Every structure is written in C-alpha cells, then in structure tokens.
Amino acid sequence: MFTPRPEDKFTFGLWTVGNTGRDPFGEAVRAVKSPVELVHLLAEVGAYGVNFHDNDLVPIDASTAERDCIVHDFKAALEETGLVVPMATTNLFSDPVFRDGAFTANDARVRAYALQKTMKAIDLGVELGAKVYVFWGGREGVETDAAKDPVKAIQRNREAMNFLCEYVLDHGYDLKLALEAKPNEPRADLYNPTTGHMLAFIETLDHPQMVGVNPEVAHEQMAGLNFMHSVAQAWEAGKLFHIDLNDQYPGRYDQDLRFGSRDIKAAFFLVKFLEDVGYDGPRHFDAHAYRTEDYEGVKDFARGCMRTYLILKEKAAQFNADAEIQALLEEINACDGGMDSYTGAYSPEKAADLRTARFDRAALARRGMRYERLDQLTIDLLLGV
Ligand code: GLT
Ligand code: MN
Ligand code: MN
C-alpha cells in the first residue's frame, strides 16, 4: 500500500534530489551526483519521471560534442530505468549574466542571449520527450524600482513569450508552456508575483492557448495565499498545465520542504482537489531534502513526498465516502429549487420579480452552518481516529 505506480505520474527535477544542500550561509553537504546517477536514484525510489533545467544536464559551456555525449548517456539511463521526461526548463538565474534578469534585463544583449539559451534548451527538452516547458523567472525583478520600469518589464516578458511561442510553432513542437510565479527571492521583488498575476498576463499573449501555469505550493504560501484556491482558479481556466508540490512555513524564505510535511490540512485539500477534478498531469515534487541528510536521507525525502501524496489521496476517498461528512455537505448545499426563477442568466422580467421578492433576512441570518462539526470530522479523518 502507498507504493508509487507509473500512473501516479510522480516526477522530480534533477535539481531536487540532486540538491547538494548549499545555502546562503553554508557550503554543499552532499557530493554532486551525475544526471545518470540521479536517474537511477529516482528509479530506485519508484518515481515515474525526471525533469531538468538545460544546465542540470549540459553544463553552460559544454561543446556540441560534449552535449551529444551527455545526452546519449542520459537517454541510455532513461531507457534502462523506464523513466520519462515530462517537463523541461531553462536556467535563467544561476549565471552572473542574469544578475539583472533574463527576458526583463535592462541590457538588450542579455535579453537576446536569454532567448537564444531558451531556444536551445527547448530543443533539448523536446529531444528528450518533454511535453511541458516551464518558465520560472527567478531573476525577473528588482531590488530598487529606480532601476526598471515595471510596465516595460511586463512588455519585455510578453515579447519574449510571444517570440518563444512562435519558435515552438515554427518547429512544429508538441509543447505547452507553463509559467511559474514567485513573489520574491532571489530578487527583492519578482514581476508577475502570483499565479493570479500569471493568469492575467497569459491572456495578453499572442497565443494564450499554448500557455498555462505551473503553480508551486511554497511560492503562493510565501505570499500568504491559499494555494489550493490558486490551483482551482488555474484549473477552472483550463490553465493547470503542471504543478510543483512541496511545503512551506508562510512568511519565510522559499523552504521547498518535503510535500505535506508542514500544513497537512492544506496538503489534504490540495490532493483532494486534484483527484476530484481528475487532474492528469505530472505530480512534480519541487522540493529538496533537509541539509542534515546524506543520500539515504534524500531517498527518504523522495519516498516521503510520494507516500504522503498517496496517503492523502486515500484520505480524500474516505472523505468522499464518509456518511456523516456527506450528509452534512448535502444539508449545507440543500436546494429546493425555490430560487431558480430569480437566479441564473439575467432577464429584465427576472430582475423585476427579484426586486419585489420578500426575504426573511433575520431567519436566513440565524442559520448555523455546521462547519465546525464538518472540519472536526475532517481532522478526525486526517488524524486517523
Ligand atoms: C528553482 C526554483 C523552482 C523552479 C525551478 C524551475 S528552479 O529551484 O526554486 O521553484 O520551479 O526553474
Ligand atoms: Mn518550482
Ligand atoms: Mn520553491
């Protein structure tokens, strides 16, 4: 029980299980593992797929011959283990050239280089089978608003996304783009800081149907938001192309904790949402092991992400089958159709009828909703009582 299967579509980035524990205050605590070694580690713990930034796989200064050799070995590891590559992305944040951003940098040469790097990285992702291409603009922001015009930044971002959509179409690639928001870190402020901002931005693009979002738990929680609500809005708009699962204490740096390790109730409602609506994309864990761990601990971390997801999926099924919970939900949502002639699509007659309808406001206001009982039943269920 709670053993991951391919149909669960659990994926990890090379940068997640390959994280060596470096932070702003300390050096690496784990030795670097090669992409091929990481593929084998992921296969051992039962993952379905592996994602990467261009430079997680191919070093930024590699020659074409080196690139081809690395890709050849990586493909062989995928074939040997059966792992797939559902998503790929570009590193537009590590190299010093991106210190002022990539697509929004003030230097036009940096913006052009960022486009060139992304085109090559898209080719690499597609070559390895990626169907979703993520954009996380880690450096697309400012420390001081004296330096950059935020309207210009939005326009530069739009120009880059339009350019890259055309590139994908021009090459006939079967690839969707997914934008990932984050409010801050590593810049003091990042543009398009939440999933909601991204959804609004996407509608201004030349090919909005090709572009969706990749919301991350930690990033919305850093902004103090209810992650599941952001996911729900993306889903309802047909824009939930990918998802980054992890956990986070609100108001802190981006912690990327093991999925479900901090806010169990929020994780439960998230898993319940994804399972209830039938989200069938990858469940990508964008997190990393504690800095205290060796590679055995990294495996514990990866197994833990998947196990917690599957436990919460089982709990969601229990919630949906629980007689008392379902009876309460039925009572809460009870509807005798008595309001149907007033609500729904507008008509002048409806509006006139509704204007004269009589409501016993005091009686309506007296109704207790039983949400305390419902929530306690949820807590009992989560605590296994
Ligand atoms: C980086 C970031 C993540 C993004 C990755 C994709 S890189 O680790 O913190 O949230 O999803 O670029
Ligand atoms: Mn992420
Ligand atoms: Mn993060």
Side-chain angles (χ1 to χ4, degrees):
M1 211 172 173
F2 307 130
T3 305
R5 297 158 310 162
E7 52 269 38
D8 297 317
K9 296 194 181 162
F10 290 139
T11 64
F12 291 82
L14 283 180
W15 69 93
T16 64
V17 285
N19 181 290
T20 57
R22 183 175 291 111
D23 71 17
F25 303 94
E27 299 304 333
V29 294
R30 292 182 285 269
V32 174
K33 276 199 189 293
S34 71
V36 166
E37 288 174 314
L38 292 170
V39 166
H40 285 281
L41 184 152
L42 286 173
E44 186 187 333
V45 298
Y48 157 78
V50 57
N51 308 317
F52 55 81
H53 298 89
D54 48 355
N55 305 136
D56 297 339
L57 189 58
V58 182
I60 194 163
D61 287 322
S63 67
T64 308
E66 283 162 351
R67 174 205 188 271
D68 292 348
C69 178
I70 291 167
V71 170
H72 173 270
D73 291 352
F74 192 68
K75 276 184 182 163
L78 293 175
E79 213 150 287
E80 200 183 326
T81 56
L83 257 73
V84 295
V85 174
M87 177 271 261
T89 183
T90 329
N91 186 326
L92 295 171
F93 45 88
S94 292
D95 194 90
V97 72
F98 300 123
R99 66 207 295 171
D100 184 38
F103 303 141
T104 65
N106 275 335
D107 188 330
R109 293 166 300 180
V110 174
R111 298 202 298 275
Y113 172 65
L115 279 179
Q116 181 200 65
K117 189 173 194 288
T118 305
M119 288 190 293
K120 290 181 183 176
I122 287 176
D123 296 346
L124 177 67
V126 169
E127 182 179 347
L128 285 153
K131 294 280 182 283
V132 177
Y133 202 84
V134 163
F135 289 82
W136 174 66
R139 300 282 173 192
E140 312 292 12
V142 284
E143 284 68 45
T144 168
D145 285 321
K148 226 180 267 183
D149 175 350
V151 169
K152 215 177 251 175
I154 293 167
Q155 292 165 344
R156 286 173 180 165
N157 242 328
R158 179 180 303 123
E159 197 179 283
M161 294 314 302
N162 285 340
F163 188 101
L164 293 165
C165 283
E166 294 291 351
Y167 181 79
V168 168
L169 290 170
D170 194 21
H171 286 71
Y173 290 155
D174 174 20
L175 192 69
K176 293 190 293 185
L177 316 187
L179 311 187
E180 178 176 345
K182 189 175 180 182
N184 58 271
E185 197 197 336
R187 301 305 293 268
D189 288 295
L190 296 175
Y191 298 120
N192 280 334
T194 69
T195 297
H197 289 81
M198 285 299 185
L199 288 170
F201 171 72
I202 288 167
E203 294 310 313
T204 71
L205 299 175
D206 289 346
H207 299 284
Q209 73 289 348
M210 294 174 65
V211 187
V213 291
N214 176 39
E216 174 174 316
V217 176
H219 298 177
E220 302 288 302
Q221 292 188 345
M222 285 170 76
L225 301 177
N226 179 318
F227 179 68
M228 191 268 275
H229 291 187
S230 299
V231 169
Q233 186 166 2
W235 170 262
E236 203 274 339
K239 292 295 185 192
L240 189 64
F241 288 4
H242 201 262
I243 193 164
D244 275 3
L245 301 172
N246 56 19
D247 219 338
Q248 170 78 22
Y249 285 83
R252 306 194 185 177
Y253 66 96
D254 184 24
Q255 294 173 306
D256 293 337
L257 298 169
R258 191 179 75 254
F259 177 64
S261 63
R262 204 281 301 179
D263 190 339
I264 296 173
K265 194 159 93 173
F268 166 71
F269 283 117
L270 173 64
V271 171
K272 182 175 179 309
F273 178 85
L274 295 174
E275 297 302 322
D276 283 353
V277 300
Y279 168 76
D280 71 351
R283 275 96 174 135
H284 174 232
F285 299 104
D286 187 10
H288 46 77
Y290 302 146
R291 195 163 179 270
T292 48
E293 303 308 292
D294 59 12
Y295 276 102
E296 282 312 305
V298 171
K299 290 180 207 165
D300 290 336
F301 147 81
R303 289 192 181 103
C305 286
M306 298 185 283
R307 181 176 171 82
T308 299
Y309 188 100
L310 292 172
I311 293 170
L312 293 174
K313 181 175 169 180
E314 165 66 23
K315 295 282 180 187
Q318 283 176 26
F319 184 102
N320 290 340
D322 187 283
E324 192 176 357
I325 290 175
Q326 292 309 314
L328 274 173
L329 283 173
E330 218 163 281
E331 190 186 319
I332 288 161
N333 290 294
C335 178
D336 63 4
M339 293 293 112
D340 289 1
S341 60
Y342 297 136
T343 53
Y346 178 87
S347 76
E349 298 73 31
K350 227 184 230 182
D353 282 357
L354 183 54
R355 284 185 72 99
T356 56
R358 301 180 76 104
F359 292 95
D360 186 346
R361 196 176 80 242
L364 288 175
R366 268 196 300 274
R367 183 181 173 206
M369 301 302 289
R370 320 251 358 240
Y371 293 176
E372 284 287 1
R373 177 72 190 140
L374 185 59
D375 188 69
Q376 187 58 42
L377 289 170
T378 308
I379 294 294
D380 278 14
L381 190 147
L382 290 179
L383 296 181
V385 178

